[in-house]
Amino acid sequence: MDIAVIGLSHVTAPVEVREKVSFTDSKKMEIIDILLEKSSKELVIVSTCNRSELYIAAKNIENAIEDVHELLNTILGQEAKSYLYIETGEEAIKHLFDVAAGLKSIVIGEDQILGQVKDAHAFAMEIGASGKVLNKLFREAITCGKLIRSELKISEYPLSISYIGIKFLKERLGTLADKKILVLGAGKMSKLSLKYLALEEPEVIYIANRTFCKASDLADEIDKAIPVGFDKRYELLQEVDVVITSTASPHLVLLKEQMPHLNKPLTILDIAMPRDVESQVATLEDVSLYDVDDLQDISDKNSAKREELAEEAAKITRSYVEEFITWLKMTKIDPTIQSLNEKCQEIHRDSMHYIENKLDLTSREHKIIDKMMMASLKRLIREPVKALKEMDDTTKQEAYMSMLQELFDL
């Protein structure tokens, strides 16, 4: 059987198109039932927020691809062709290995996709849609993905400014566990910062936002978080050790002239764009001010490191792909080799039956003749089988199999 993948992703289609093919389990079952009744023999659907892909194995792969394409046309309309990509054979195999390794993700090396690929395969097996070929393909891709993550640890080089910011503060201060922290803003960046902050278990986190109810709602989700009025922010500067600010304000929210006298060090991380903190605040005694530019260098270095590790990952996937292709080629010639062996056994059985009827053999003579005859028959097919296994050209291999089938009347 041959393999193909038909799908779309964040690279080829906008979110309003991707959401049309973000299949539920019931929809997957409906699609699988339709396609397995047609040309596809095996099918696995990988469907996430960033990609929807149908992996198929079939004897007539062109017909199977056409069936999938026709079905997706009914869902996406005639413009489907502009969003879809189709890979066959080695390219389809390599595509899955790269997906499972996180090399096709928006953030290179992210971990979530591996679990999604594993779940997709498990679902297909549960309903009997994945067989010998796709089972082998997905298991190898998942094993390869796990190996890449454990050996290269790509995800340990974060790109999120919020995550990098918390790690940056931890490195500067040694720990955040005993610190009092003020977070200004309740938007996406603040939420992410709070998520990572909570893991560091600070003494207390004050959340200030112009809309108090938003700060209150956010504080309910975080342990040791206390909502405060935005107008209390300057007062709290004398109490806290760290300020993280990422409001959506078009104006500065911390001005030098309004800063109180501090009697202990204060570290401020301004990750807002435009900035929340007046740059002159950095001139104040006991104040350390950092902004996005201080973090961007880390993010850029991490991004470069991920790209470098992605090249190493590609080498690993390449070796796995080559091994799988070799295995797949063997599955295509297995029926012919099995038929040759069965032919030998048939001739051996008939010949021994004839000899036993014609000659009165001792037990020792019977064993010798039986063994010599089978060895001779195996020698007869040894070279054809060897030549068949060593052929790289698929067309020549198929022609050779046809010749053997005709020659040996298989």
Side-chain angles (χ1 to χ4, degrees):
M1 282 197 290
D2 291 314
I3 295 170
V5 57
I6 305 95
L8 51 77
S9 71
H10 60 276
V11 176
T12 66
V15 65
E16 60 266 23
V17 174
R18 298 201 305 274
E19 64 188 8
K20 292 181 181 178
V21 287
S22 182
F23 303 123
T24 61
D25 285 351
S26 59
K27 188 63 177 177
K28 286 180 187 178
M29 291 179 68
E30 180 185 334
I31 290 171
I32 287 170
D33 286 343
I34 292 171
L35 294 175
L36 291 184
E37 287 180 3
K38 295 186 177 182
S39 303
S40 298
K41 297 302 179 186
E42 299 180 28
L43 177 63
V44 177
I45 300 176
V46 176
S47 185
T48 73
C49 58
N50 288 322
R51 68 179 62 250
S52 284
E53 298 176 335
L54 287 80
Y55 292 85
I56 55 175
K59 291 182 179 179
N60 189 326
I61 201 66
E62 294 302 324
N63 284 353
I65 290 172
E66 185 59 35
D67 290 337
V68 174
H69 203 273
E70 184 180 324
L71 185 146
L72 291 176
N73 276 347
T74 63
I75 298 172
L76 297 173
Q78 290 304 311
E79 72 271 21
K81 188 173 290 187
S82 62
Y83 302 122
L84 296 174
Y85 45 80
I86 300 172
E87 303 284 1
T88 59
E90 183 174 343
E91 290 305 312
I93 295 164
K94 182 179 181 299
H95 182 89
L96 177 61
F97 276 88
D98 287 346
V99 167
L103 302 182
K104 296 278 188 180
S105 299
I106 293 177
V107 178
I108 293 175
E110 60 98 358
D111 291 328
Q112 190 177 13
I113 187 62
L114 182 61
Q116 292 168 330
V117 168
K118 187 177 180 179
D119 290 344
H121 178 232
F123 180 80
M125 285 198 300
E126 283 176 14
I127 63 175
S130 183
K132 178 180 178 180
V133 173
L134 291 188
N135 281 346
K136 175 74 172 178
L137 175 62
F138 272 77
R139 283 168 181 157
E140 291 299 313
I142 292 165
T143 298
C144 179
K146 288 179 179 178
L147 176 67
I148 286 170
R149 281 162 175 78
S150 64
E151 288 197 357
L152 302 183
K153 302 183 183 347
I154 300 176
S155 62
E156 292 188 7
Y157 295 87
L159 302 179
S160 161
I161 291 297
S162 297
Y163 184 87
I164 291 172
I166 302 306
K167 293 300 180 185
F168 178 84
L169 290 172
K170 186 177 180 181
E171 288 177 8
R172 290 292 182 278
L173 301 174
T175 181
L176 297 176
D178 59 347
K179 307 301 181 186
K180 295 179 179 180
I181 299 172
L182 170 61
V183 174
L184 299 179
K188 182 178 179 181
M189 294 284 277
S190 293
K191 289 178 181 178
L192 285 172
S193 297
L194 285 164
K195 171 186 173 184
Y196 301 127
L197 261 180
L199 299 176
E200 301 299 330
E201 300 182 345
E203 183 180 333
V204 64
I205 303 172
Y206 296 107
I207 304 174
N209 190 63
R210 291 189 188 277
T211 305
F212 182 80
C213 64
K214 287 187 178 180
S216 182
D217 289 343
L218 198 51
D220 288 341
E221 301 174 11
I222 307 294
D223 189 34
K224 296 181 181 179
I226 301 172
V228 294
F230 199 72
D231 58 344
K232 303 292 185 184
R233 62 191 184 279
Y234 284 108
E235 294 176 28
L236 285 167
L237 295 181
Q238 294 176 308
E239 179 183 344
V240 300
D241 305 290
V242 176
V243 176
I244 300 173
T245 178
S246 59
T247 75
S249 172
H251 310 295
L252 297 170
V253 300
L254 288 180
L255 299 170
K256 179 185 176 183
E257 63 182 25
Q258 296 186 41
M259 293 286 289
H261 176 72
L262 302 173
N263 51 22
K264 64 177 182 177
L266 176 66
T267 301
I268 303 175
L269 177 61
D270 183 358
I271 55 176
M273 188 60 67
R275 288 177 295 175
D276 281 338
V277 185
E278 185 180 11
S279 59
Q280 289 301 307
V281 170
T283 64
L284 296 173
E285 189 177 355
D286 290 328
V287 173
S288 299
L289 174 62
Y290 304 99
D291 59 26
V292 170
D293 285 348
D294 294 299
L295 305 180
Q296 192 60 51
D297 182 55
I298 300 172
S299 181
D300 291 342
K301 287 179 180 177
N302 284 356
S303 182
K305 184 63 177 179
R306 282 195 180 221
E307 293 286 353
E308 179 186 326
L309 292 173
E311 293 180 10
E312 293 298 314
K315 294 177 183 177
I316 296 174
T317 60
R318 196 176 303 124
S319 65
Y320 270 82
V321 168
E322 289 172 358
E323 286 181 15
F324 180 81
I325 290 172
T326 299
W327 175 85
L328 188 61
K329 285 181 178 178
M330 290 298 102
T331 65
K332 291 180 179 180
I333 66 174
D334 280 349
T336 299
I337 294 174
Q338 184 178 348
S339 295
L340 284 170
N341 284 322
E342 289 173 354
K343 192 70 174 180
C344 287
Q345 290 169 3
E346 179 188 343
I347 294 171
H348 170 264
R349 186 171 56 252
D350 292 346
S351 298
M352 286 304 298
H353 181 69
Y354 179 82
I355 290 171
E356 288 164 357
N357 288 336
K358 294 295 182 180
L359 300 174
D360 186 16
L361 301 172
T362 65
S363 175
R364 182 172 179 275
E365 289 170 339
H366 186 280
K367 287 181 181 178
I368 291 172
I369 294 173
D370 183 89
K371 188 174 181 180
M372 288 293 293
M373 184 177 295
M374 181 53 75
S376 298
L377 289 168
K378 289 290 185 182
R379 278 182 59 190
L380 179 65
I381 65 169
R382 186 178 300 139
E383 289 305 317
V385 168
K386 182 181 177 183
L388 190 58
K389 288 182 176 179
E390 292 176 351
M391 282 185 178
D392 292 327
D393 189 306
T394 302
T395 303
K396 288 183 179 179
Q397 191 179 63
E398 290 176 353
Y400 194 66
M401 282 192 289
S402 296
M403 182 190 71
L404 289 175
Q405 289 165 4
E406 184 175 348
L407 183 64
F408 287 90
D409 190 25
L410 301 179

